[in-house]
Amino acid sequence: MANFVAAVPKLHTPTPAETLSFSVASDRLPAMAAAGITHVSLANNHSFDKGAYDFMHTQMTLQQHGVEPFGAAHNATNAVTYLTVGKHRVAVLGLNLTDHTFAPDEYLELLTTVTKQSDLQVVYVHWGEEYVATHNENQRTLAHWLVDSGIDLVLGHHPHVVQDIEIYADVPIIYSLGNFIFDQYFDEAVQTGL
């Protein structure tokens, strides 16, 4: 599983240096499947960089290459995917909270449903402040609410650096995994991930 912070537009043009509207050519996608990535979250602040049509094209093209997308930039549409890990069915809920808004009522019914349909529940969340090595109070409040609502693991990303890890009510909260594959080389911290 990975966080796919880009779009795969129908008409790809390389992303110019120093810009933040990310485009990936579809001929790069077989490498993900070859590396064992079967699911990617599109619940982030860049999956919609090329607009609604190319967001749908991204979803379709990923599926054609054997990678299942889940989540969306602006809402809980298609937020859940299911993985089989051993004998367990694991629900993974992709959320984008980079704008710091969260409506618990919007997600409570969804959390109840996935809990009934899976053995373990994971939230894979895009949040936090970029390049800051410690979580903020918004992240902590939301993480605790998620755990109190039955989530078994919280995995965060977006800051581009590894953030701290907390155990709350015996549940691990990894506030930021850091970068995995991203073309940032200006500091050792952005070249490190969990």
Side-chain angles (χ1 to χ4, degrees):
M1 184 172 66
N3 179 38
F4 191 76
V5 187
V8 183
K10 188 167 180 74
L11 299 173
H12 165 70
T13 55
T15 303
E18 307 299 322
T19 65
L20 298 174
S21 181
F22 302 131
S23 177
V24 173
S26 61
D27 65 357
R28 303 301 173 111
L29 299 181
M32 281 199 303
I37 295 172
T38 58
H39 295 72
V40 294
S41 175
L42 299 180
N44 59 65
N45 59 317
H46 287 288
S47 63
F48 226 71
D49 277 357
K50 304 300 179 185
Y53 175 81
D54 281 326
F55 177 79
M56 291 186 294
H57 186 265
T58 300
Q59 292 174 307
M60 180 186 69
T61 307
L62 285 162
Q63 289 172 330
Q64 290 170 347
H65 286 87
V67 179
E68 188 63 33
F70 66 98
H74 307 297
N75 55 47
T77 303
N78 300 319
V80 180
T81 193
Y82 293 92
L83 305 169
T84 300
V85 180
K87 296 180 180 179
H88 300 285
R89 187 169 196 227
V90 179
V92 182
L93 175 62
L95 299 178
N96 174 29
L97 301 177
T98 54
D99 63 0
H100 302 291
T101 60
F102 181 73
D105 294 343
E106 180 182 345
Y107 293 95
L108 198 52
E109 184 177 337
L110 181 59
L111 292 174
T112 302
T113 300
V114 299
T115 300
K116 292 176 183 174
Q117 297 178 352
S118 59
D119 302 309
L120 297 166
Q121 299 77 41
V122 176
V123 168
Y124 199 57
V125 57
H126 210 63
W127 64 359
E129 297 173 50
E130 291 183 323
Y131 314 113
V132 176
T134 305
H135 70 278
N136 63 38
E137 192 57 35
N138 287 335
Q139 288 171 277
R140 184 177 189 275
T141 299
L142 175 59
H144 288 195
W145 182 86
L146 289 165
V147 172
D148 291 341
S149 299
I151 294 301
D152 298 302
L153 174 63
V154 178
L155 294 173
H157 37 78
H158 175 63
H160 298 287
V161 296
V162 174
Q163 287 188 332
D164 51 318
I165 297 172
E166 176 184 6
I167 304 296
Y168 171 74
D170 294 326
V171 173
I173 300 166
I174 300 170
Y175 283 103
S176 175
L177 295 167
N179 281 342
F180 176 46
I181 299 172
F182 203 81
D183 62 347
Q184 291 184 323
Y185 307 105
F186 58 86
D187 187 79
E188 187 175 332
V190 296
Q191 298 176 52
T192 305
L194 297 177

